[in-house]
Amino acid sequence: MPRRQGYALLIALVAGTAALAAGVAFAGSLLFSGSGTRSQQIAAPDPRSVARTPAAPAHSTGLWLGTWAAAPTTGVIDTYNGSDLTRRTIRNVVHTSIGGDAARITLSNLFGTHPLVVDHATVDTRPVTFRGAAAVTVAAGGQIVSDPVLVPVAADADLVVTLRTPTAEGPVTIHPGTHQTSYVEDGQGTRRTTDWRYLTAVDVHNETAAGTIAVIGDSLTAGTGSTLDANSRWPDVLADRLHGRYGVVNAGIAGNRILRDGRGVRASARFDRDVLDAAGVKTVVIALGINDVQQFPQETDPQRIADALRSMTRRAHARGLRVVGATLMPYEGFRTWTPTQNAVREQVNELIRAGGIFDSVIDFDKAARDPYHPTRLLPAYDCGDHLHLNDTGYQRLGSLVDLPALQHDRPVSDQF
């Protein structure tokens, strides 16, 4: 499917393929995962014990790799014009990086205060099961990974993951501001949304790709300022350049910080869940720190930011992963900018460029700044608020990444 092809075509295919898809998917689920239990409600295990990277089926030479992800960010009371949370159908539209011959999904109830019941789930109309059952109950604070389902997943294409929640209560775990149009259907009709609900990962069974690249960042990684449904975030650009050699998953959260909770759990605390536990991860890209500098309370010690970044690198090294990091871009003209905080940003960049924090560095600052006014973004890249980029700017960031530097088979330094 072309990159910008809309949701309408997918919906048009549903009626004609649903019956055949159900039979094929059921058989495929047995082929990949065995018979399993048939209970109608399954309590989700502790999320720390959920295996995100189990071995591929014994008959297969492929691997389970992440093709898409979204970090769970917050919980909201999800009402619209007075409608309640029950009897809803959620159609999360996501964009893949690599393809495969089967898929599995991760559902999260991280911010829920009640069990989440999903009584029907599909991936592009193919029914999904959870330990052999069509329905699943995810405990408050928990997550669960589905059984594999045989469904062809195209690379660089929109994918629809549909969830029906008959008795949802309390806060809904979402990733807001997705820059992607999804849909929610309830008793009042179907409405558009730019939140992803409950869905936090799609993995594919792939026989050719080498692994997954997991990117953790803030709004500049999540794509604030980019065009709706254009899939022009810089990790999307990176995925296009890799041509299927690696999956790319985006764990960016707008407003996220390293050292403090705020918008989303602090990056240092969510690092394992959102990055290190991604299916098939081989390389980590870290693009964080600007919100620690510019958000209140503002961090005034550049060494604390650098030390936190170094600590994240060590944790990735302990898993045998390579780590690539980015410098912090300028933001003069944004409402929180001050000369003092700009000096903190520049000192963080000096520490990053000096080495000893990451295995290699992407100099976003150098590429995005105005050469005639280096404390500001280049006007051609500025979305208008002087902090975030437009599509041209994100294209530039995605083109900067040195592809050989991402290769996980390079030796990882132990000097950090």
Side-chain angles (χ1 to χ4, degrees), residues 102-405:
R104 66 185 185 191
I105 62 175
T106 300
L107 304 183
S108 173
N109 194 23
L110 179 63
F111 298 102
T113 56
H114 297 79
L116 165 67
V117 177
V118 175
D119 67 358
H120 182 69
T122 62
V123 174
D124 273 3
T125 78
R126 306 290 178 93
V128 178
T129 60
F130 300 85
R131 300 179 189 168
V136 66
T137 299
V138 186
Q143 71 173 31
I144 194 164
V145 181
S146 76
D147 301 330
V149 55
L150 273 181
V151 57
V153 176
D156 190 24
D158 285 350
L159 187 77
V160 182
V161 178
T162 300
L163 310 172
R164 190 169 64 195
T165 57
T167 58
E169 296 181 78
V172 176
T173 296
I174 67 167
H175 181 99
T178 64
H179 314 289
Q180 190 105 35
T181 303
S182 293
Y183 301 84
V184 176
E185 179 184 337
D186 56 26
Q188 298 190 15
T190 300
R191 67 181 187 274
R192 295 171 180 262
T193 178
T194 55
D195 298 338
W196 286 312
R197 290 163 168 81
Y198 302 121
L199 181 70
T200 58
V202 178
D203 305 331
V204 293
H205 184 256
N206 183 292
E207 296 189 356
T208 59
T212 300
I213 296 166
V215 183
I216 186 168
D218 45 43
S219 56
L220 293 160
T221 296
T224 298
S226 66
T227 300
L228 180 69
D229 295 327
N231 300 299
S232 55
R233 314 163 192 87
W234 73 259
D236 296 320
V237 176
L238 173 61
D240 290 345
R241 293 178 60 212
L242 289 165
H243 299 294
R245 283 175 282 170
Y246 289 85
V248 178
V249 296
N250 187 337
I253 293 178
N256 205 219
R257 303 175 65 150
I258 308 169
L259 296 170
R260 294 177 181 267
D261 292 340
R263 294 185 184 177
V265 177
R266 70 188 71 183
S268 57
R270 67 184 182 91
F271 190 50
D272 284 45
R273 182 195 68 214
D274 293 343
V275 175
L276 301 186
D277 291 344
V281 62
K282 300 296 183 183
T283 301
V284 175
V285 182
I286 300 176
L288 285 161
I290 195 63
N291 288 324
D292 294 84
V293 172
Q294 65 90 14
Q295 284 185 0
F296 295 101
Q298 295 170 328
E299 179 57 57
T300 59
D301 184 355
Q303 193 63 55
R304 274 175 45 84
I305 296 173
D307 288 346
L309 293 170
R310 185 180 294 107
S311 176
M312 293 168 72
T313 295
R314 288 173 174 162
R315 289 159 63 185
H317 283 177
R319 301 275 192 104
L321 307 179
R322 183 168 183 79
V323 181
V324 179
T327 54
L328 312 186
M329 291 183 289
Y331 67 104
E332 184 180 353
F334 193 69
R335 62 183 180 276
T336 60
W337 188 91
T338 67
T340 299
Q341 289 310 111
N342 183 66
V344 174
R345 178 188 69 86
E346 291 181 340
Q347 290 172 59
V348 171
N349 285 345
E350 289 176 7
L351 292 168
I352 289 173
R353 293 184 182 113
I357 294 179
F358 304 119
D359 296 315
S360 62
V361 174
I362 317 166
D363 204 337
F364 281 177
D365 170 49
K366 183 178 179 181
R369 69 193 182 202
D370 185 341
Y372 301 105
H373 196 154
T375 56
R376 287 181 177 267
L377 291 173
L378 189 70
Y381 297 159
D382 190 344
C383 78
D385 67 3
H386 311 300
L387 174 65
H388 301 102
L389 305 186
N390 55 26
D391 291 349
T392 302
Y394 288 126
Q395 179 70 39
R396 174 62 174 148
L397 297 191
S399 70
L400 281 178
V401 181
D402 178 29
L403 299 187

